[in-house]
Amino acid sequence: MNECLIKIEDLHKSFDSNKVIDGLTLSIGRGESIAIIGQSGTGKSVLLKHLIRLLSPDRGRIYFDGKDIAKLQGENLVAMRRRYGMLFQSAALFDSLTVAENVGLGLHESGDYRKSDIDIIVQDKLEMVGLSGSADKYPAELSGGMRKRVGLARAIAAGPEVLLYDEPTTGLDPITADVINDLIVSLNQRLLVTSIAVTHDMASAFKIAERIVMLYEGRIAFDGTPEQIKISSNPIVRQFVTGRATGPIQVR
Amino acid sequence: MEYYPVMTLGRRGVNFITRLGGIFVMIGRFVVALKDIPRSVRLIFEQLYAIGVQSLPLIIVIAIFVGAVSAWQAAYQFKFIGAPLRYLGQAVGKAVVIELAPVLSALVFAGRVGAGIAAELGTMRVTEQIDALEAMGINPMRYLMMPRVLACLIMVPLLVVFSNFIAILGGLSVAVVGVDISSETFLEGFKSSFQVTDFVNGLIKAGVFGLVIGLIGCYEGFNTKGGAQGVGVSTTTSVVISSVMILILDFVFTVLLFRL
Ligand SMILES: Nc1ncnc2c1ncn2[C@@H]1O[C@H](COP(=O)(O)OP(=O)(O)OP(=O)(O)O)[C@@H](O)[C@H]1O
Ligand SMILES: [Mg+2]
């Protein structure tokens, strides 16, 4: 494996009495592309939010580039977060801003870019996700899939080193979904970004990831390549990959 | 079973103390965020406009009637105790400048602006927009809280200046039309008792109210939980708490500022 970029050690997180993450340990190398799969409600989104400290663990540590992120303060915390780009599951667009303003906000507020440069970057990113015609629309005027793509354009706008995608293709038609998959692959290969994608879509996972991690009951049930997961005999993995209602995983 | 009311009271007490602590922490964050005023000028002007300028019509309507009713009430009481009506301008002027304009404007402002801030930030919280800001390395305290609280702090006193003026005009109209004293008499009475310190103290109170409304609106908004229902709860809570705090602080500051 490449040099380790993100290291999660013995992570625990509960919300009141609901234990979500229960001793999870995971290392992610620089430049890797990982897909995280798992049943709805197993804590995939919660895990992503921990990486940029939108949530804090009850126990355990997360290291980013060798530093314990719990110890980062002020400017250092901001600097760490700016090295990430995150696509939220709900897209989380700012509803008082236009599509273009949403995509450009991070650049604008960082104070490191000129207005004319921001316009060019925004236009470029919107083209990448196939939305250059919607720059002046407001989020409320977009469809769910369009919002997702704006969220994606916003996540990649500042050229982050690590991209966190929370269900990038959910709610998209198969053709658009494939365009987004290609985009994720090309970001990963051309720009050498590290990518961590949460997905339910096995076709997407196989396409975008060189490593697949499955969460089950707050821990990692499987960690391996797409080839390995296809031939895995682990009943939990088999049930998920083949998508059957019956088996060791019970829907509660 | 019979312990339930006691437990509820206990929980309420704890909630209240948590909230008070949270609001004090927010004061600290507000002061820290003030250093970022230079690069937040656009955001501050947006809020000054949305919070202040757009509240002006409502404040004016309220002020007209506050002045009118206080003139009528004063005249009624003068009749009762047999005081001469030429003191009407004095009574209305003092009541408006010291008490009525700051407190009533603030209460209306809490209902319009405080509730609006709590609802807007609450919606942003439950739809993960605040998380998204943080994820982009933008501090929500600077980007969202500071411009709103600052706008409240500036705008409530400014609106009270308008409110004073309009309320006196409202009182004057009622005095002339309804009580039948001349506008010269009314204004002379007003002028003879007008003191700059009263006026300034009224504005100090207004500033405190503005700060409290902004801070509570932001605090409730940021701490919203759940969905649409949570936003509703935050909105209501912000108005209730702001209103109660306005009346309590009004008493405290009146005692501190207006020595007997
Ligand atoms: N802010 C929160 N407060 C309380 N509970 C939460 C919060 N966020 C998540 N949870 C709980 O944590 C658990 C995991 O949620 P999470 O959103 O991570 O699931 P997920 O794996 O992303 O599911 P999905 O595939 O449906 O998106 C759920 O039981 C959820 O109720
Ligand atoms: Mg999720």
Side-chain angles (χ1 to χ4, degrees):
Chain A
M1 197 173 83
N2 311 333
E3 172 204 355
C4 176
L5 183 63
I6 299 166
K7 195 162 166 197
I8 304 165
E9 270 180 16
D10 193 34
L11 190 70
H12 292 257
K13 181 72 178 179
S14 303
F15 294 100
D16 297 325
S17 63
N18 175 14
K19 183 164 250 182
V20 178
I21 299 198
D22 185 16
L24 184 149
T25 296
L26 181 69
S27 290
I28 298 164
R30 195 185 290 279
E32 253 191 315
S33 64
I34 293 198
I36 297 177
I37 60 172
Q39 212 188 346
S40 180
T42 46
K44 304 181 295 297
S45 300
V46 166
L47 177 61
L48 288 192
K49 286 183 187 168
H50 273 89
L51 294 180
I52 49 175
R53 227 177 85 183
L54 294 177
L55 290 172
S56 298
D58 298 335
R59 191 139 69 79
R61 305 214 169 283
I62 297 170
Y63 298 91
F64 177 62
D65 212 1
K67 292 194 196 72
D68 182 348
I69 65 165
K71 300 214 172 86
L72 298 177
Q73 300 250 316
E75 281 306 304
N76 292 330
L77 177 61
V78 169
M80 181 274 282
R81 284 174 170 162
R82 289 227 178 107
R83 291 172 67 183
Y84 278 93
M86 176 152 181
L87 166 62
F88 284 76
Q89 185 167 3
S90 62
L93 302 182
F94 306 118
D95 45 28
S96 58
L97 303 181
T98 64
V99 165
E101 287 166 344
N102 260 281
V103 177
L105 185 70
L107 303 171
H108 187 265
E109 293 297 323
S110 73
D112 303 336
Y113 296 82
R114 274 183 303 172
K115 174 90 176 61
S116 53
D117 294 338
I118 295 176
D119 291 344
I120 294 167
I121 296 172
V122 167
Q123 192 52 38
D124 180 47
K125 303 300 173 194
L126 285 178
E127 243 158 58
M128 279 184 173
V129 298
L131 283 175
S132 43
S134 305
D136 296 324
K137 290 208 171 98
Y138 282 89
E141 303 168 86
L142 304 178
S143 75
M146 288 162 92
R147 272 182 228 158
K148 240 323 142 33
R149 286 183 282 154
V150 176
L152 180 58
R154 186 176 73 182
I156 63 179
E161 279 169 64
V162 189
L163 274 160
L164 308 178
Y165 306 97
D166 201 343
E167 306 196 3
T169 55
T170 307
L172 301 183
D173 63 273
I175 301 165
T176 315
D178 208 50
V179 170
I180 297 301
N181 286 335
D182 285 340
L183 178 64
I184 293 174
V185 171
S186 84
L187 285 168
N188 187 239
Q189 288 175 349
R190 280 194 304 136
L191 302 174
L192 302 173
V193 295
T194 308
S195 61
I196 304 170
V198 166
T199 182
H200 291 292
D201 174 356
M202 290 310 296
S204 168
F206 287 135
K207 182 155 187 180
I208 64 181
E210 56 194 23
R211 179 176 166 201
I212 297 180
V213 169
M214 179 168 170
L215 286 195
Y216 179 64
E217 298 197 327
R219 290 179 209 200
I220 289 170
F222 174 88
D223 183 352
T225 64
E227 288 69 40
Q228 286 169 333
I229 204 168
K230 281 179 196 156
I231 57 167
S232 167
S233 58
N234 181 334
I236 293 168
V237 174
R238 288 247 54 77
Q239 190 193 346
F240 193 87
V241 173
T242 54
R244 279 193 237 286
T246 51
I249 307 176
Q250 297 292 315
V251 176
R252 277 166 300 194
Chain B
M1 276 306 265
E2 55 226 303
Y3 292 110
Y4 272 19
V6 179
M7 278 163 61
T8 313
L9 258 179
R11 200 171 318 118
R12 287 251 169 110
V14 171
N15 280 348
F16 181 74
I17 291 170
T18 318
R19 181 172 271 127
L20 212 63
I23 290 168
F24 272 103
V25 170
M26 197 152 272
I27 295 178
R29 293 196 168 143
F30 174 65
V31 173
V32 172
L34 287 175
K35 73 174 189 315
D36 290 315
I37 287 178
R39 66 192 186 104
S40 312
V41 172
R42 189 183 54 84
L43 296 168
I44 293 168
F45 271 95
E46 273 172 21
Q47 292 305 320
L48 286 172
Y49 181 75
I51 284 176
V53 179
Q54 297 194 343
S55 298
L56 193 56
L58 181 62
I59 294 290
I60 287 176
V61 173
I62 302 289
I64 292 173
F65 286 96
V66 165
V69 80
S70 62
W72 192 272
Q73 280 285 353
Y76 177 75
Q77 290 187 33
F78 279 19
K79 195 177 113 194
F80 196 71
I81 57 175
L85 282 174
R86 64 192 147 82
Y87 292 125
L88 194 63
Q90 229 157 316
V92 172
K94 283 275 181 207
V96 163
V97 170
I98 292 177
E99 201 54 45
L100 294 175
V103 172
L104 292 175
S105 304
L107 288 174
V108 170
F109 197 86
R112 184 188 181 274
V113 174
I117 292 175
E120 185 187 10
L121 299 189
T123 305
M124 290 186 77
R125 165 61 77 202
V126 302
T127 56
E128 297 184 313
Q129 293 178 53
I130 293 178
D131 282 343
L133 276 179
E134 292 196 288
M136 296 164 94
I138 299 172
N139 179 358
M141 295 298 154
R142 173 189 76 81
Y143 189 81
L144 298 173
M145 184 268 279
M146 185 272 279
R148 284 169 175 75
V149 176
L150 188 62
C152 289
L153 178 62
I154 293 172
M155 277 303 177
V156 175
L158 262 179
L159 289 169
V160 167
V161 173
F162 277 98
S163 186
N164 279 332
F165 184 69
I166 305 283
I168 299 299
L169 288 184
L172 175 69
S173 318
V174 166
V176 173
V177 177
V179 188
D180 201 25
I181 59 174
S182 74
S183 56
E184 288 79 25
T185 316
F186 184 89
L187 287 176
E188 223 155 85
F190 171 68
K191 268 189 263 170
S192 71
S193 72
F194 180 82
Q195 280 178 301
V196 178
T197 47
D198 287 351
F199 177 74
V200 171
N201 286 345
L203 296 191
I204 292 175
K205 288 205 289 189
V208 173
F209 299 155
L211 188 65
V212 164
I213 293 166
L215 287 168
I216 291 175
C218 288
Y219 177 82
E220 294 301 327
F222 278 127
N223 289 288
T224 301
K225 289 200 172 63
Q229 198 198 354
V231 175
V233 170
S234 301
T235 309
T236 316
T237 312
S238 83
V239 177
V240 171
I241 297 192
S242 300
S243 306
V244 172
M245 287 308 290
I246 286 168
L247 294 171
I248 294 175
L249 288 171
D250 181 46
F251 177 69
V252 172
F253 275 82
T254 301
V255 170
L256 288 177
L257 293 172
F258 299 92
R259 311 303 313 195
L260 290 179

